[in-house]
Amino acid sequence: MPEALKVTRTFAFLLVDRFPMFSLAAAIDTMRTANRMSEEAFYSWTTVSANGAAVTASNGLEINVQYALADLPSADITFICAGLTTEFDDKAKVIATLRTLGRRGAVLGGLNVGSYILAEAGQLEGHRCTIHWENRAGFQERFPQIECTGNVFEIDRKRYTCAGGTTSIDLMLDIIKQDFSPALANEVANQFHHERIRSQTDRQRVGPERDLTGKSEKLRKIVELMADNLEQPKSAVRLAKAVGLSVRQVERLFLRHLNMTPGRYYMSLRLERARELLRQTHSPILDVALATGFTSHSYFAQSYRAQFGRSPSDERRTTY
């Protein structure tokens, strides 16, 4: 690393109840490994909770933290780490702190569902962000004015967000690449057997067959188009034209790789999104149907029952 760039960077991780341990560990251990591989104590990190007390992770383990919000030290990026719930004790204090940091021009980030808390604090207005795929539908319903992509991570000026899990590694590797070099980022990735460093443009897995690794590039493109157009589904002709194939060629592609027709796959995507909306929001069932491309309530209910073995109203009653 050039002498002129030998500064240090500190990251603060604000933990809330039931935060995902893996997302936190993946982020911190990537920084630790970068220090080891570069033989520089370049990165440091602190952990924070609202009142300085230990926080219980989603796996039940209690994690002691170093600071309370009132004593939050200066940090280059302050990440909020949230997972199974966006409701927790002292939430008002957390929101107020994020707003204060935002007004001061601080760099803020969210791991996993941390983006939701940042949005509630008004810190993602005018920024791209991402969130775990399971929570994206609810996020978009609650914050329709915010561009929430389906990418593994997003860096948009002073806002850093990722979808959690192994995407925490990818986000930190991108930071390492910018701070040091692609070579060091690759060395760190190799330490984790992380075979490919995903970029900001890589998508999260979507649909019933989420792992399309090694499958046709055109198949992946069609699946992305489907996932991005659930409220107003694209016709088979338009999907085929978008990738330069005939409708029949697209049908053969889906049958060979996914063992189902494009229409059946598209329907599964729409119904999965409907289930997410039913579980994550209080939107009326008819609104959920319309948001996933169904113009008939009865057809929506019939299709939902065929897919999941229960009606939309049963799903809603089970969730709430």
Side-chain angles (χ1 to χ4, degrees):
M1 185 175 185
E3 190 69 32
L5 295 182
K6 284 189 178 178
V7 295
T8 58
R9 297 189 74 181
T10 298
F11 297 157
F13 293 92
L14 172 54
L15 311 180
V16 301
D17 189 45
R18 303 180 76 191
F19 76 91
M21 179 77 78
F22 185 84
S23 297
L24 175 68
I28 289 178
D29 232 34
T30 304
M31 299 294 101
R32 177 196 63 79
T33 304
N35 286 346
R36 173 171 167 258
M37 303 306 292
S38 66
E39 299 182 344
E40 299 249 2
F42 184 78
Y43 296 107
S44 61
W45 47 89
T46 59
T47 51
V48 186
S49 69
N51 56 13
V55 184
T56 302
S58 58
N59 60 12
L61 292 178
E62 274 199 347
I63 301 299
N64 291 320
V65 301
Q66 296 161 285
Y67 295 96
L69 278 179
D71 305 313
L72 180 66
S74 176
D76 292 281
I77 306 177
T78 299
F79 286 97
I80 179 165
C81 189
L84 291 184
T85 181
T86 57
E87 299 301 323
F88 46 86
D89 291 341
D90 293 316
K91 181 176 178 178
K93 187 185 296 185
V94 169
I95 293 290
T97 299
L98 291 173
R99 286 174 177 161
T100 298
L101 290 171
R103 284 194 299 269
R104 293 175 179 170
V107 182
L108 300 173
L111 304 183
N112 202 293
V113 187
S115 305
Y116 199 98
I117 313 301
L118 287 175
E120 287 189 298
Q123 299 308 305
L124 291 178
E125 299 289 341
H127 292 81
R128 287 188 322 277
C129 71
T130 192
I131 198 168
H132 191 280
W133 63 265
E134 194 174 33
N135 303 92
R136 188 175 175 223
F139 183 98
Q140 291 175 313
E141 187 72 15
R142 173 73 187 278
F143 308 105
Q145 76 282 8
I146 297 175
E147 183 184 356
C148 184
T149 73
N151 296 338
V152 292
F153 68 87
E154 287 287 353
I155 300 175
D156 188 356
R157 290 159 289 166
K158 292 185 175 183
R159 298 296 179 263
Y160 291 64
T161 56
C162 73
T166 57
T167 71
S168 293
I169 299 175
D170 293 296
L171 173 58
M172 296 303 167
L173 288 173
D174 196 82
I175 292 172
I176 292 167
K177 187 187 304 182
Q178 300 305 317
D179 287 342
F180 286 88
S181 67
L184 180 62
N186 282 320
E187 284 186 54
V188 175
N190 288 339
Q191 290 294 311
F192 293 105
H193 301 284
H194 198 59
E195 293 183 0
R196 185 176 74 87
I197 301 176
R198 290 171 292 187
S199 73
Q200 188 167 325
T201 58
D202 276 293
R203 295 286 297 250
Q204 296 178 55
R205 297 174 181 180
V206 294
E209 178 69 27
R210 289 192 167 81
D211 188 0
L212 298 177
T213 304
K215 303 282 174 52
S216 161
E217 181 62 34
K218 292 189 174 183
L219 175 68
R220 291 199 297 273
K221 177 64 175 175
I222 294 171
V223 169
E224 288 179 8
L225 284 170
M226 288 177 171
D228 288 338
N229 294 274
L230 299 180
E231 186 171 356
Q232 295 182 322
K234 287 184 175 290
S235 68
V237 172
R238 292 185 67 185
L239 289 171
K241 186 177 180 181
V243 295
L245 297 176
S246 69
V247 171
R248 183 61 188 146
Q249 287 174 317
V250 170
E251 289 175 349
R252 287 198 294 265
L253 197 62
F254 271 75
L255 288 170
R256 180 167 71 250
H257 291 289
L258 301 175
N259 199 32
M260 67 176 74
T261 65
R264 180 65 255 171
Y265 190 90
Y266 211 166
M267 176 66 77
S268 296
L269 281 179
R270 291 162 58 198
L271 290 169
E272 282 204 353
R273 174 63 60 82
R275 182 165 64 173
E276 290 167 12
L277 288 171
L278 289 169
R279 289 178 171 180
Q280 298 171 26
T281 75
H282 293 277
S283 298
I285 290 176
L286 180 57
D287 288 354
V288 172
L290 293 173
T292 50
F294 293 90
T295 56
S296 163
H297 184 285
S298 59
Y299 181 52
F300 171 59
Q302 175 187 344
S303 301
Y304 197 93
R305 184 181 291 277
Q307 179 82 0
F308 300 116
R310 63 171 67 180
S311 68
S313 56
D314 286 340
E315 187 77 67
R316 175 59 57 76
R317 280 193 292 269
T318 300
T319 304
Y320 293 110

